[in-house]
């Protein structure tokens, strides 16, 4: 198979294509309650959130959680999130943007830090799986960076996608870090886990809608 001639987008899932802010905040506060921490608002979350996730908890605890505390909080988070994600849907306009990018002859894939076994049926359930040439969720422990997962994702697309013509679209600073790690570009979207100020500190384009993100990806990969 020859090298793909057109631009490629690597999409993030949580907070980007999947508008799950309410479930994320609820799950975070359920996890915090296990350690007696006060609940936080979405605005506070966007200001403080960072990867790896234990560092995020450190900002609120004043110290890193112990291994036991991390396992407890992580378990509570995922149980709550799994229960409440069913009330969440795709970000407005996401399905149309995916279809439009594909119909224009470009390729796209999905890489998420959400567990692979949970991610695939969720994507399939929204009827958008066919738009992607590859869908990868996290394998192994949660809480880490996306960078090494991005390496494996693009290695699996060797001969199809050229990293220099790939643009990662996500809602977290870590998406830009992962893109840089593999020689790709990044566009960050303000509708998810990070505040605009924290995203702008990374030094990549920051946009307020997915339509703007796709337009910027087209420009960067030209």
């Amino acid at each position: 198979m020859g090298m793909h001639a057109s631009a490629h987008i690597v999409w993030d899932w949580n907070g980007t294509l999947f508008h799950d802010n309410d479930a994320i905040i609820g799950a975070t506060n359920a996890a915090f309650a296990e350690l007696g921490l006060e609940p936080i608002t979405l605005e506070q979350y966007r200001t403080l959130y960072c990867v790896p996730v234990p560092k995020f908890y450190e900002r609120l605890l004043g110290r890193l959680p112990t291994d036991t505390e991390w396992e407890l909080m992580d378990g509570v988070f995922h149980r709550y999130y799994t229960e409440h994600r069913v009330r969440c849907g795709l970000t407005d306009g996401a399905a149309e943007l995916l279809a439009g990018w594909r119909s224009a002859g470009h390729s796209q894939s999905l890489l998420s830090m959400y567990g692979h076994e949970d991610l695939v049926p969720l994507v399939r359930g929204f009827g958008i799986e066919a738009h992607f040439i590859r869908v990868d969720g996290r394998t192994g422990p949660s809480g880490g960076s996306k960078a090494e997962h991005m390496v494996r994702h693009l290695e699996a697309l060797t001969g199809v996608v050229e990293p220099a013509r790939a643009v990662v679209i996500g809602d977290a600073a870590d998406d830009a870090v992962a893109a840089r790690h593999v020689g790709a570009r990044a566009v960050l979207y303000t509708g998810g886990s990070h505040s605009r100020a924290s995203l702008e500190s990374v030094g990549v384009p920051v946009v307020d809608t997915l339509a703007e993100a796709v337009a910027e990806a087209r420009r960067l990969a030209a």
Side-chain angles (χ1 to χ4, degrees):
M1 186 180 296
M3 185 70 72
H4 211 288
S6 63
H8 180 84
I9 291 175
V10 180
W11 289 95
D12 174 56
W13 180 245
N14 302 95
T16 304
L17 290 175
F18 190 44
H19 188 66
D20 59 351
N21 290 342
D22 289 345
I24 291 286
I25 291 299
T28 298
N29 284 331
F32 285 174
E34 292 296 316
L35 296 190
L37 293 171
E38 292 295 316
I40 62 172
T41 65
L42 176 59
E43 195 61 34
Q44 289 171 315
Y45 181 91
R46 284 175 164 162
T47 299
L48 295 170
Y49 182 74
C50 64
V51 173
V53 178
K55 284 284 189 182
F56 169 51
Y57 291 154
E58 182 183 23
R59 291 181 174 184
L60 294 141
L61 282 169
R63 60 174 175 80
L64 281 170
T66 66
D67 289 346
T68 299
E69 288 171 335
W70 163 251
E71 289 175 10
L72 173 64
M73 296 172 79
D74 193 48
V76 170
F77 178 95
H78 284 98
R79 285 194 298 274
Y80 183 102
Y81 180 83
T82 298
E83 180 182 348
H84 291 269
R85 75 181 187 196
V86 296
R87 300 188 182 94
C88 304
L90 295 178
T91 301
D92 288 345
E96 293 78 9
L97 288 168
L98 293 173
W101 185 259
R102 181 186 179 197
S103 66
H106 305 304
S107 62
Q108 56 199 329
S109 58
L110 176 59
L111 175 63
S112 173
M113 293 298 282
Y114 192 43
H116 185 78
E117 298 305 316
D118 293 312
L119 174 69
V120 172
L122 188 55
V123 172
R124 189 171 294 148
F126 282 111
I128 58 173
E129 185 181 22
H131 295 312
F132 304 110
I133 60 174
R134 187 174 182 87
V135 174
D136 283 328
R138 172 186 48 79
T139 57
S142 62
S145 172
K146 186 180 272 188
E148 292 306 317
H149 296 270
M150 187 68 72
V151 171
R152 290 191 291 271
H153 184 72
L154 287 186
E155 281 179 348
L157 296 174
T158 298
V160 182
V161 173
E162 182 181 1
R165 304 238 21 227
V167 179
V168 177
I169 297 179
D171 69 316
D174 190 52
D175 290 302
V177 172
R180 191 174 297 128
H181 190 67
V182 295
R185 309 287 188 86
V187 179
L188 298 180
Y189 163 63
T190 62
S193 63
H194 280 38
S195 68
R196 171 174 276 277
S198 63
L199 294 178
E200 287 178 339
S201 69
V202 185
V204 302
V206 176
V207 298
D208 295 319
T209 69
L210 292 188
E212 291 175 288
V214 170
E216 189 66 18
R218 186 179 292 110
R219 184 188 70 81
L220 289 173

